[in-house]
Structure formats: structure tokens, C-alpha cells
Amino acid sequence: PLSYSVFQLYTGKNLDTVTQVEQKESFNWLSTDLERLTGAAYLAELVDAAIQENEKNQAPFLLILTCFHLFESIEPTLVIRCFEVKLLSILGYAPQLEDCVNCNRVTKGEKQYFSIELGGILCSECRYNDPECLTVRMGTLATMNYLMKADLRKLSRLKIPKPVAGELEQVVKRFLSAKLEKRFKSLDLLSKL
């Protein structure tokens, strides 16, 4: 688990058989830090839930491999948030963050409204279209937008204020769970750390 390996398979009628394995890279050092290990397990669980069996999709693979490397030098929570937001984008679930998802008007003001169901922000007039929309800070939406587009090599420069980080975590977790229609076991453990 949590290693980069190349598997050679023999495809049978019902099951595939592993005939050869070549380990390219091991991330054994993750086991020395419970938060990083749990974070990496969560990323693997997300990819497993998002990608169908036998579906070729290189972008999530490269993203998770890069994030495993980032765990070594960057605060784990930041790596996780970035991974979640970028994975949503790769899967085609990128939230609409610059204008109202309902009327396409540019929203203004410090408080914004995010609709999990509609997949983006709502203006103050359209927010009543989703009674369960979340009130979020403009900084939270700006951070989410930045993470979606960010160069992972520059991630260490980003500092997120605690209130924004907490709000971002709640919005992204709820959005991911709704889109992937799954609850993640490793996320429960991660939230207890």
C-alpha cells in the first residue's frame, strides 16, 4: 500500500492474476508520521472511489504521486486540501466560484453563499434557491479557486488563515462527499488527529 509499483497482470475470465511486480518508489517514510500516513491513505481512498476499475486516467495518478512527494515537505492539511480541489476539477466537478451558478451575475461582498447541490456560489438574491447553501468567506472561495489552479511546486508558499482553512475543509469535504456519494473512513480518522 502507498507505493508506486508497476504490475503485470494476466487477465482471466473472472479474476486477474498478478504475474510480475516492479516497485518504482516506496513511501515507507509516511509510516513515521500518523497524520501524513492517514492523509495519504485518504488520498488513495478518494482516487479509489473516483476512478472506475479498468479506467485509464493518468491525471489523478500523477496528482496523487506528486502529493505523496509533497507530504515530505509541506504541511499535510494543505496537501490534502489541494489534492481534493484539484481532483474535483480533474473529475469535471470543479465548482463555479467566480459568478452565481444560478444567474451568472458576479457576486460581491465579504459573505458569499455556496451551494453543494448546485455546484458553486449563489448571489444574495439566488441563495434562496438552495435553503441548505453555506455562508462562506470571500477568502475561502479565493483560496479554493487558487488551489484549483495552483502550481504544486509553489504550494509551500501558501499560508491559509485558520478561519479560512476550517471553512475550506468543511465546504470541500461536503462537496466531495456529495459528488462521489461516499463517506470516507480515513477522513474520520484524520479529523480525530
Side-chain angles (χ1 to χ4, degrees):
L2 307 180
S3 66
Y4 169 28
S5 304
V6 176
F7 289 77
Q8 196 168 54
L9 303 173
Y10 168 77
T11 306
K13 288 183 180 182
N14 298 323
L15 295 173
D16 294 341
T17 305
V18 177
T19 58
Q20 186 176 341
V21 177
E22 177 188 353
Q23 187 175 50
K24 296 279 188 183
E25 195 167 358
S26 172
F27 295 94
N28 290 337
W29 57 267
L30 284 168
S31 63
T32 62
D33 184 309
L34 185 58
E35 187 177 10
R36 284 175 168 77
L37 176 63
T38 308
Y42 170 58
L43 302 191
E45 193 178 0
L46 275 175
V47 170
D48 187 48
I51 307 301
Q52 300 299 314
E53 192 172 325
N54 295 322
E55 178 183 331
K56 186 177 181 178
N57 198 331
Q58 190 172 13
F61 167 73
L62 293 174
L63 179 61
I64 197 169
L65 189 59
T66 302
C67 285
F68 278 10
H69 285 283
L70 291 175
F71 273 128
E72 197 165 12
S73 59
I74 297 176
E75 201 272 316
T77 307
L78 182 57
V79 175
I80 292 166
R81 288 298 89 73
C82 190
F83 179 86
E84 291 168 327
V85 171
K86 285 189 174 297
L87 183 64
L88 281 166
S89 186
I90 288 168
L91 298 174
Y93 298 130
Q96 187 169 324
L97 299 173
E98 298 187 12
D99 51 15
C100 178
V101 74
N102 193 53
C103 70
N104 295 322
R105 278 188 296 220
V106 175
T107 62
K108 295 179 181 173
E110 189 57 34
K111 285 188 179 178
Q112 299 290 311
Y113 306 95
F114 187 88
S115 172
I116 301 289
E117 183 181 333
L118 299 175
I121 59 172
L122 294 169
C123 67
S124 56
E125 286 147 34
C126 293
R127 72 181 172 142
Y128 301 105
N129 291 338
D130 180 2
E132 306 223 353
C133 70
L134 308 168
T135 304
V136 294
R137 292 173 177 84
M138 192 65 158
T140 301
L141 298 175
T143 303
M144 192 184 304
N145 201 25
Y146 175 82
L147 289 175
M148 232 181 304
K149 300 170 184 174
D151 179 346
L152 291 171
R153 293 170 295 185
K154 297 177 182 173
L155 195 59
S156 63
R157 299 179 192 165
L158 182 64
K159 302 293 180 228
I160 303 174
K162 278 192 175 191
V164 169
E167 201 170 74
L168 180 65
E169 179 181 0
Q170 292 308 310
V171 170
V172 173
K173 280 199 292 192
R174 287 184 59 186
F175 195 58
L176 258 172
S177 291
K179 294 301 175 191
L180 298 180
E181 298 176 348
K182 185 172 182 197
R183 185 174 174 159
F184 300 97
K185 295 174 186 173
S186 50
L187 188 57
D188 294 338
L189 178 59
L190 196 56
S191 66
K192 293 176 184 174
L193 294 179

